[in-house]
Amino acid sequence: MKKHQATRLHYDLRLEWNGVLLSWALPEGPSCCAGAIRKAIEMEDHSRANLLFEGVHETGPIMLWDRGTWEPQLESLDIQSALRRGVLQFTLHGEKLKGSWTLARINSAGNAPRPVWTLRKQADSFAESPADKCILERLPNSVTGRTMREIVQDWTRPRDRYERQIRLFDEL
């Protein structure tokens, strides 16, 4: 999961599958409260090279807010079919986000340029109470511990920027 300060702050859900990163933009970010529904706008697939990227992109600063693995739940083992049907149920094993989740495509009003989905946390042992402080407020920083401001400052130092670009390409 990325935290991205583009035109406006949002979060990017990325699920690695079939050699690409399936991507949804979450304008409000995820909620760990069971049943809470968040809008998820389907985006173009991203390259796997972007999976661990943290820095400044032409669209704005990007934070590696969470990382981990995911797996489809039994109902969604055929991922391609689940995506066509518009319901993908999966389990996250992240450093911050854990447990069962559902992405469901909804009918878009008007001429929406991209398919709109909803992201919902399923009731499980990782679900939080609505009385709990939101995970986005409780854990705002990167999994590396840095704030968005620190990421921008580090990235804009010429020497560091050059070294980071070299390392990014070395990882491919």
Side-chain angles (χ1 to χ4, degrees):
M1 178 83 62
K2 305 287 182 119
K3 185 175 181 179
H4 186 184
Q5 181 65 57
T7 305
R8 66 179 243 182
L9 181 66
H10 67 278
Y11 291 74
D12 295 315
L13 172 64
R14 305 270 166 81
L15 302 176
E16 185 176 5
W17 178 71
N18 211 17
V20 297
L21 301 176
L22 304 174
S23 300
W24 290 265
L26 307 172
E28 296 178 72
S31 171
C32 291
C33 295
I37 295 174
R38 294 291 189 259
K39 183 178 180 179
I41 303 162
E42 185 177 336
M43 305 302 287
E44 65 279 348
D45 295 344
H46 284 66
S47 165
R48 289 180 64 236
N50 295 322
L51 187 62
L52 299 177
F53 175 80
E54 180 172 80
V56 178
H57 183 265
E58 63 189 26
T59 60
I62 298 174
M63 173 188 287
L64 183 56
W65 184 76
D66 193 16
R67 64 182 165 208
T69 60
W70 77 284
E71 60 184 317
Q73 292 177 3
L74 188 58
E75 303 84 351
S76 298
L77 284 178
D78 182 345
I79 296 169
Q80 188 63 40
S81 176
L83 291 170
R84 270 195 312 273
R85 278 191 332 269
V87 177
L88 179 63
Q89 294 180 311
F90 56 96
T91 302
L92 291 177
H93 307 281
E95 292 181 33
K96 297 179 183 181
L97 300 178
K98 300 177 186 316
S100 301
W101 300 77
T102 300
L103 274 166
R105 190 172 48 240
I106 58 174
N107 293 333
S108 301
N111 296 330
R114 299 183 183 278
V116 177
W117 298 64
T118 59
L119 177 67
R120 181 177 58 85
K121 176 75 180 93
Q122 296 176 13
D124 62 15
S125 63
F126 297 105
E128 297 176 349
S129 162
D132 293 337
K133 189 173 182 181
C134 174
I135 191 167
L136 303 177
E137 295 172 12
R138 212 174 58 247
L139 301 171
N141 295 343
S142 168
V143 292
T144 64
R146 299 186 309 161
T147 65
M148 192 68 85
R149 183 176 185 181
E150 290 169 331
I151 291 166
V152 170
Q153 288 173 342
D154 290 349
W155 192 264
T156 54
R157 291 187 188 120
R159 187 179 63 83
D160 288 350
R161 183 174 59 229
Y162 175 74
E163 289 173 4
R164 288 180 193 280
Q165 288 171 349
I166 289 172
R167 282 197 302 267
L168 181 63
F169 286 104
D170 287 344
E171 292 173 1
L172 299 179

